[in-house]
Amino acid sequence: PYTTLFRSRTETLIDLAEKTAAKVKETGREYVMDPMTNSERKIIHKALSQIEGVESHSEGDDPNRYVVVTKV
């Protein structure tokens, strides 16, 4: 149950990263994601690092740190 929930959340975050990357590549505009936990941001950054044409970094202070996705 817990591992299923974790896997599901991870898959949801990867899907979000892919959709965000597509949007950034299409529009050329940076995208600021909602604040998330450190572990969620790591999943997002890892997923985005696999996608050509975008890069990401975190901004803000915990617990309100968020990911910014930009086109390269």
Side-chain angles (χ1 to χ4, degrees):
Y2 177 76
T3 55
T4 304
L5 177 65
F6 180 76
R7 187 176 312 122
S8 174
R9 180 67 179 150
T10 300
E11 290 169 359
T12 300
L13 289 168
I14 291 169
D15 187 51
L16 174 63
E18 290 170 347
K19 288 177 179 172
T20 301
K23 186 183 294 187
V24 168
K25 286 170 33 171
E26 183 181 314
T27 65
R29 290 200 203 112
E30 76 174 21
Y31 185 86
V32 177
M33 302 180 101
D34 290 333
M36 28 183 114
T37 65
N38 183 50
S39 59
E40 291 173 328
R41 288 193 314 274
K42 281 183 180 178
I43 293 166
I44 294 286
H45 286 304
K46 185 173 182 178
L48 290 169
S49 73
Q50 308 294 311
I51 301 172
E52 281 191 45
V54 296
E55 60 186 16
S56 63
H57 64 276
S58 294
E59 292 183 4
D61 297 312
D62 284 323
N64 297 313
R65 275 182 78 74
Y66 52 89
V67 175
V68 178
V69 185
T70 55
K71 188 174 180 177
V72 287

